[in-house]
Amino acid sequence: MAKKETPKTNYQGQMHLLQKDLMGRYFDSLTRAAEQGEGKAAYMLISGNPVELMLAFDMIPVYPEINALQLAVKKVALPYIQKAEEIGYSMDNCAYVKADVGLFLGDRKTPFATIPPPALILCNYVGCNVYLQWFEHLAEYSHGEIFNLDIPFMRDPSGKPTKEDTEYVVKQLEEVIEVCERITGKKFDYQKLQKIVSYSGQTGELWSKIKGLTKRVPSPFDAYFDSVTMMAPLYCLRGTEEGLKFFETAYKEMEEKAELGMGPLPEERFRFVIEGPPPWPYLRTFRDLFAKWGAVAVASTYSTVGGLWEFGFKHDPNRPLESIAEHMLEWNLTNRNFLQRYDQIRRYVQEWSADALVIHSVKSCRLFSAGQGDMREYFTKELNIPTLLIESDIEDPRYFSEAQMKNRVDAFFESLEHKKILREASAPGGQA
Amino acid sequence: MANEKAHPAIEALISKYREVVEGSPLEYTADWKAKHPGVKLVGCYPLYTPVEIIHAGGMLPVAVIGGGNRLEIAHADSRFQSFVCSIVKSTLELGLTGQLKILDGIVFHSICDPARNLASVFTRNFPDLMVEYIHFPQNLTSRHAVSYLAAEYRRVKASYEKLVGRPIDNEALCQSIRVYNEQRGLLRDLYRLRSQSPQNLSTVETYILTRIGTFLPPEEHIAILKEAIAAASRRDERLKDRIKVVLEGSFCEQPPLELIEGLEAAGCYILDDDFLLGWRWFSQDVAVEGDPIQNLARAYLDRSVYSGVKHDTREPKAKHLVDKVRETGASAVVILAAKFCEPALFDYALYRRALEAEGIPHLYLEFEEKMWIFDKARTEVETFVESMLFD
Ligand code: SF4
Ligand code: SF4
């Protein structure tokens, strides 16, 4: 195989400009809250959250995970991580938490926003146990009010929540309403919540349609690297009119590309499913490792951490609290058990016609990574799907070894390329 | 020991069980099962399991706490990465090498991310084993947490009824609660004895006496504890020149006995610790009047001890640790955290902050169950002890 030039992947459509604008405005609202005391901040986690309820009280959702992510993308996370390590956090703790704690204990000014202190620390405990400690620590540092919104994990073999699970979550949401009424001094407005939930429903539906587009060959966008652009508005602006508009624009644009047979790369040579979060500090480098092989991600589990809409879930304005509960319980990756994830990936590989699975195992996030060796075993041994497992980190730049990563990725695609040539040659009509 | 002759039984007993604990409690359990072929065994991963439900079904709950330092990991490290704690890997190794075949079921809980994924890996790899998973509530201020947990326990009970093939009735549940109340009460007595006169009961002895209760039938354990407590109460050793500490951080994966022993030999009396915490989960008896399932659920919320895997927003965890130091009269804290154990590592950041604010000195150490060499830990403890004694 001749050495390949890395094709350019910095496509900038209308969607990207709109995204920048919207996210800029979202971050400005955080800065205004921090500097001018405009509005009350509710800290939450990304995974299946009740942002709809916060918006019903005009609270400003603040996501410490997004703070950490932005710091990593902007390549400024390390000093914050080190600051946390100086005060007792371990090398082996999730670096999202460390970056955020380092930021929180300083002046909370970042290149993208100034982070307001919390009026409410709403720990939506959806799967990840680190969340509980992260927010416990923030509560201790800020003396802010904390509410642990406990979401029972998907443990039944059916993969469904029990009736009692759903009731328990709905009742806790009612308790959250009481807390928000007290904090904001506003009365709960049911119709307003219904409106917001209806925006979320429509947004989720569009997002799911967008994801369906990557079943086409070639895939109109990369379901990992480009999905990230859409995930920010999905999480920060879900439940708003402008969030919905963004997804209308994105869908139109992606659909057009699909119709025109355009993809993110000049040639789509391989379709892969990717499992695990990206290495934010080295996103571009990481992307190029795959782009160079003409490899496009057609589905990713990471794009479902905050919600899994592509298998039929939709927020329902007629049952707002119940559907928020269902979203938190069942319809997001983090609260589903590991075997449900195997199944999700299997569906992606089959229904999105992928050639391979790439597992990016990140040290920080054991929710994602712990046991991915077993996952690899399942996909290679049971399903015969070529699977590559590579390791680095989601946040900490010290765990990214480009040379090593490149060797692994190259070796993997070289062997796929080889198999592909053999297959094409032996196929009827091929040159035997 | 000076008065060894006065009560030889306890030493003989402890050294007999020491071999079991250091060797393989699972082998012991296999022998036990051979003698009790009709009894089903349910393995309990740390920390806390409502063992009463299993026991009331006529089954024996036995702890599955990793593989100690004599198990070689040959398969599990290709399934779980290097940055995952040892107990997760050794527990899987035990399964992959057939050593858990004696179990009919195993139960995991919502304690941390790796343990949660391990439950799934077990489900896939061991289809003959009944794998149960309990989600404990983490919103202890909710008015609905007790009824949620009671519903969860009823679900679990139904699952064990299926395993054992008959219903588990309230009367049996109440009886089991009584039995485990007695066991936990005796463990509290044992801990109190050690805390009040650590010269008369070492931590290794306390540990072994507690650990055997994780695989013996509770009735048998109760008899041993009674005898051991009586014997230890008769001891009258001289207090050595050691510092008194509280040990924290080993609530799930367990350190080797040599390490525990080494800590004391290096100049500490450990007045309290969080070893095997799930088997000592309640600070008071679980109520026996009324609905037993409800009582177990309520006890989890109102009578359970603090822990790195229970996040109670009603009171900062660090306050509990500081209180423990004050109440026992310890002068320092030794944090002994399992390597890669995120719950323990995160707790440390807040513990350190609180201990510094209170002026309580502490030493931070990490361990792995599989460790063999203890010199470094011992030297660190010695240096720490010296700095305290000659300050
Ligand atoms: S462990 Fe993973 S899901 Fe949990 S806080 Fe860290 S990065 Fe997020
Ligand atoms: S030692 Fe810690 S990380 Fe490992 S299973 Fe136990 S609680 Fe989880």
Side-chain angles (χ1 to χ4, degrees), chain A residues 40-185:
Chain A
K40 294 206 186 309
Y43 283 25
M44 271 185 302
L45 281 316
I46 288 295
S47 307
N49 62 40
V51 64
E52 291 80 9
L53 212 47
M54 295 303 107
L55 295 180
F57 285 96
D58 301 313
M59 292 184 87
I60 302 168
V62 175
Y63 299 105
E65 284 160 302
I66 304 250
N67 305 343
L69 182 163
Q70 288 289 335
L71 293 176
V73 170
K74 304 252 179 321
K75 299 190 193 293
V76 295
L78 191 56
Y80 294 108
I81 295 174
Q82 284 166 329
K83 182 168 173 191
E85 286 172 356
E86 271 161 32
I87 60 165
Y89 290 84
S90 162
M91 280 292 287
D92 300 313
N93 277 133
C94 169
Y96 256 30
V97 181
K98 286 185 285 186
D100 180 59
V101 163
L103 172 67
F104 193 88
L105 294 176
D107 61 6
R108 298 202 278 275
K109 283 196 189 350
T110 73
F112 49 93
T114 306
I115 308 303
L120 172 63
I121 301 172
L122 180 57
C123 180
N124 47 304
Y125 168 44
V126 176
C128 174
N129 278 52
V130 170
Y131 286 165
L132 290 161
Q133 284 178 294
W134 188 347
F135 276 32
E136 176 184 6
H137 291 212
L138 290 181
E140 187 136 337
Y141 299 141
S142 68
H143 303 291
E145 174 158 354
I146 182 166
F147 188 100
N148 278 356
L149 177 50
D150 177 32
I151 308 299
F153 189 65
M154 291 303 91
R155 58 219 180 281
D156 194 78
S158 70
K160 298 269 162 206
T162 64
K163 192 173 111 287
E164 287 85 358
D165 290 348
T166 312
E167 277 168 16
Y168 174 46
V169 175
V170 169
K171 284 179 179 153
Q172 287 181 85
L173 289 173
E174 287 163 0
E175 291 177 325
V176 173
I177 290 175
E178 288 170 26
V179 172
C180 291
E181 285 186 329
R182 178 164 47 71
I183 288 179
T184 62

Side-chain angles (χ1 to χ4, degrees), chain B residues 75-202:
Chain B
H75 310 86
D77 48 1
S78 72
R79 308 292 179 94
F80 280 88
Q81 299 89 327
S82 57
F83 49 77
V84 173
C85 65
S86 292
I87 180 177
V88 160
K89 284 180 268 197
S90 62
T91 302
L92 180 59
E93 187 74 22
L94 290 171
L96 293 172
T97 50
Q99 296 181 63
L100 298 180
K101 281 219 168 78
I102 50 164
L103 300 179
D104 299 282
I106 188 164
V107 52
F108 296 92
H109 328 87
S110 50
I111 56 168
C112 67
D113 300 337
R116 192 176 50 236
N117 288 0
L118 181 63
S120 285
V121 170
F122 259 70
T123 305
R124 185 179 91 77
N125 285 274
F126 312 115
D128 296 336
L129 192 64
M130 190 199 89
V131 180
E132 188 49 85
Y133 182 93
I134 301 177
H135 178 97
F136 287 110
Q138 293 287 9
N139 180 354
L140 303 186
T141 60
S142 170
R143 295 186 292 273
H144 310 286
V146 171
S147 55
Y148 158 76
L149 186 58
E152 178 71 347
Y153 283 172
R154 273 185 223 105
R155 182 186 67 76
V156 168
K157 180 165 90 81
S159 194
Y160 287 121
E161 286 172 338
K162 233 181 177 161
L163 182 68
V164 77
R166 63 179 169 82
I168 299 171
D169 63 33
N170 279 356
E171 205 178 310
L173 276 168
C174 288
Q175 181 50 28
S176 295
I177 291 177
R178 276 193 203 96
V179 169
Y180 281 100
N181 272 347
E182 185 173 8
Q183 183 202 43
R184 286 183 294 249
L186 286 165
L187 287 172
R188 289 195 293 270
D189 291 345
L190 186 76
Y191 264 67
R192 200 170 306 120
L193 191 65
R194 194 244 333 229
S195 155
Q196 283 163 359
S197 45
Q199 72 278 22
N200 290 333
L201 185 65
S202 74

